[in-house]
Amino acid sequence: MTKLTICPNCGEKNLHWDNEKKWSCNACSFVLYHNVASAVAVLVKCGDEILLTKRNQNPAIGKLDLPGGFVDPKESAETTCKRELWEELKIDINTSKLVYITSLPNTYIYKDILYNTLDMFYMYEVDEKPNFCIEKSEIISTVWIDSNDINIDEIAFDSQKYFFETFYTN
Ligand SMILES: [Zn+2]
């Protein structure tokens, strides 16, 4: 974050990162907030099994992830769940069946920029495993894993590791 030093407003090399959430320019009044980004993670659950995806992009390429992603502007978290499950897997969910569980902070580094996120976890229970089609640019493969057999070391993100260790029980 400290690599950004030139103010986009006045052009002076006076941009200061506060090591938390904003840049400000010492030469003019320019301020740019880098606020916490909202994100969702969905536990698609069938019996004792949960659907996990293997990431096909960085950060954490090859690691296991829950379906989900960043909330778009003007979008509800539930709408994000529906959009992301459709974009990633072509699973069309009924948002009224989403059950909110908890939220956890996470960090996400993308192209050398660190994003602080707040990940909202939802449960989506299904009676039978849905047919789906993988978005191959984002996902290498999917796996249904018994929730008792999840290896925390294979999970991509700290928020999800903490979630499986602490909050998630059958
Ligand atoms: Zn400036």
Side-chain angles (χ1 to χ4, degrees), residues 7 9-12 25 27-28 30:
C7 173
N9 186 49
C10 72
E12 294 289 324
C25 175
C28 71
F30 179 80

Side-chain angles (χ1 to χ4, degrees), residues 35-51:
N35 287 327
V36 174
S38 304
V40 301
V42 184
L43 285 97
V44 179
K45 185 171 184 285
C46 185
D48 291 334
E49 292 183 306
I50 294 164
L51 180 63

Side-chain angles (χ1 to χ4, degrees), residues 6-15 24-31:
I6 294 170
C7 173
N9 186 49
C10 72
E12 294 289 324
K13 197 173 180 182
N14 262 311
L15 204 60
S24 52
C25 175
N26 295 328
C28 71
S29 59
F30 179 80
V31 175

Side-chain angles (χ1 to χ4, degrees), residues 110-150:
Y110 184 68
K111 298 192 175 179
D112 294 335
I113 300 286
L114 184 142
Y115 296 85
N116 284 283
T117 73
L118 183 65
D119 297 350
M120 289 169 272
F121 290 80
Y122 286 84
M123 175 84 75
Y124 190 78
E125 286 208 67
V126 292
D127 295 330
E128 54 188 48
K129 292 175 182 174
N131 291 321
F132 52 79
C133 178
I134 294 169
E135 171 52 50
K136 292 200 170 67
S137 65
E138 294 187 32
I139 296 168
I140 296 167
S141 60
T142 59
V143 58
W144 289 92
I145 299 183
D146 189 302
S147 52
N148 298 307
D149 296 336
I150 291 172

Side-chain angles (χ1 to χ4, degrees), residues 59-122:
I61 190 167
K63 293 275 191 172
L64 295 176
D65 193 6
L66 288 166
F70 287 103
V71 177
D72 274 346
K74 300 184 171 62
E75 196 173 55
S76 71
E78 291 76 16
T79 303
T80 308
C81 293
K82 185 177 179 72
R83 177 178 55 73
E84 288 286 350
L85 278 162
W86 181 254
E87 287 177 2
E88 292 180 1
L89 297 163
K90 292 289 180 286
I91 297 175
D92 191 16
I93 67 165
N94 178 349
T95 53
S96 68
K97 292 184 179 175
L98 285 165
V99 178
Y100 175 74
I101 306 170
T102 191
S103 65
L104 289 167
N106 194 42
T107 55
Y108 188 99
I109 297 171
Y110 184 68
K111 298 192 175 179
D112 294 335
I113 300 286
L114 184 142
Y115 296 85
N116 284 283
T117 73
L118 183 65
D119 297 350
M120 289 169 272
F121 290 80
Y122 286 84

